[in-house]
């Protein structure tokens, strides 16, 4: 049975709809909670896929969150192995930093449902189903430069780097394609202070949840492109 290891930073930001797909496709999903787990001995080379998930902290805040040092070291190991690696939001930023890129505060908070603009490379990638403007969930205030060997796949007006790939094995998504409508209320509670500070309407977030098969198409296409050992 193929094995997905997911590094999680807060309980409600999990694999979302992706987890149901992995279950359906016969993958065993295992979570490791980065803030409270012993990361130094974690085997990140054995799983078929390593997923690094989102969270409300910065990839550069190791002074406040020392576990990030161990986590970055693990991601560097996985990158060097050239095995399948998926990063979502903070996870994508952590991959970028592990790949030698700068991660830093963005120009504004970008929170809510909206489209991304695909680059030429993005239009030929697993993200192609997003080309017609399908909305995804944006929930970030940081951005990053592209890591070594990466190709930008998508952008928005406020954030140039919205998705990137490194070969066929690494996919980084700044946005939350995995966001699950049934779990959105946990996000609204968990990020209540941030949402209030940013003046984001909870009603708008609830009302604009898209219904489509695009997350499935994207994940399925990317997984099909990955070379598993």
């Amino acid at each position: 049975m193929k094995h997905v290891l997911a590094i999680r930073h807060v309980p409600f930001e999990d694999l979302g709809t992706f987890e149901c797909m992995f279950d359906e496709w016969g993958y065993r999903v295992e979570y490791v909670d980065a803030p409270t787990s012993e990361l130094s001995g974690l085997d990140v080379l054995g799983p078929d896929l390593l997923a690094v998930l989102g969270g409300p902290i910065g990839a550069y805040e190791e002074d406040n969150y020392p576990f990030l040092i161990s986590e970055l070291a693990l991601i560097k190991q996985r990158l060097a192995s050239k095995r399948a690696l998926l990063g979502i939001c903070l996870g994508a930023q952590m991959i970028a930093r592990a790949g030698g890129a700068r991660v830093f505060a963005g120009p504004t908070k970008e929170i809510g449902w909206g489209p991304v603009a695909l680059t030429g490379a993005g239009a030929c990638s697993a993200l192609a189903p997003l080309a017609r403007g399908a909305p995804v969930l944006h929930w970030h205030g940081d951005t990053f430069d592209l890591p070594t060997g990466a190709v930008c796949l998508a952008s928005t007006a406020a954030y140039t780097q919205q998705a990137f790939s490194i070969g066929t094995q690494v996919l980084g998504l700044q946005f939350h394609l995995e966001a699950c409508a049934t779990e959105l209320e946990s996000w609204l509670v968990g990020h209540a202070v941030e949402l209030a500070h940013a003046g984001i309407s909870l009603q708008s977030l609830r009302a604009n949840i898209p219904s489509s098969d695009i997350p499935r198409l994207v994940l399925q296409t990317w997984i099909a492109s990955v070379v598993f050992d």
Side-chain angles (χ1 to χ4, degrees):
M1 178 180 285
K2 286 190 170 67
H3 176 202
V4 177
L5 178 64
I7 297 179
R8 183 168 54 186
H9 301 95
V10 288
F12 56 86
E13 290 199 35
D14 54 22
L15 283 166
T17 59
F18 286 179
E19 184 167 355
C20 299
M21 298 172 206
F22 284 129
D23 288 342
E24 179 184 332
W25 299 335
Y27 287 76
R28 176 172 66 89
V29 175
E30 176 188 3
Y31 287 100
V32 172
D33 291 306
T36 57
S37 298
E38 177 52 62
L39 297 180
S40 60
L42 186 65
D43 176 16
V44 293
L45 302 183
D48 297 280
L49 170 62
L50 177 68
V52 188
L53 304 178
I57 62 176
Y60 45 80
E61 292 190 279
E62 65 270 22
D63 287 348
N64 290 328
Y65 306 101
F67 72 86
L68 290 175
I69 298 171
S70 297
E71 186 175 349
L72 282 166
L74 293 174
I75 296 170
K76 287 179 181 178
Q77 287 181 38
R78 186 71 185 195
L79 276 173
S81 75
K82 301 188 185 303
R83 304 200 70 202
L85 176 59
L86 173 66
I88 298 174
C89 198
L90 173 60
Q93 296 160 12
M94 293 287 285
I95 293 172
R97 188 172 176 202
R102 182 175 60 117
V103 181
F104 52 98
T108 184
K109 288 280 187 182
E110 190 171 41
I111 300 176
W113 301 97
V116 293
L118 299 185
T119 64
C124 299
S125 75
L127 300 187
L130 296 173
R132 295 184 179 180
V136 296
L137 181 60
H138 299 282
W139 205 307
H140 47 257
D142 285 346
T143 188
F144 51 89
D145 296 328
L146 283 178
T148 302
V151 176
C152 180
L153 302 179
S155 301
T156 60
Y159 283 80
T160 302
Q161 310 300 345
Q162 284 285 359
F164 65 87
S165 62
I166 304 175
T168 59
Q169 303 297 96
V170 179
L171 179 63
L173 304 175
Q174 172 85 319
F175 50 88
H176 290 276
L177 193 60
E178 87 294 354
C180 181
T182 59
E183 296 179 3
L184 184 63
E185 291 302 315
S186 294
W187 287 54
L188 301 185
V189 173
H191 294 302
V193 174
E194 179 185 23
L195 290 169
H197 184 73
I200 302 297
S201 165
L202 305 192
Q203 289 72 24
S204 175
L205 287 172
R206 292 185 180 111
N208 293 311
I209 299 172
S211 176
S212 76
D213 290 329
I214 286 179
R216 172 180 289 272
L217 289 173
V218 170
L219 184 63
Q220 192 169 33
T221 302
W222 180 63
I223 288 293
S225 74
V226 171
V227 177
F228 291 104
D229 296 338

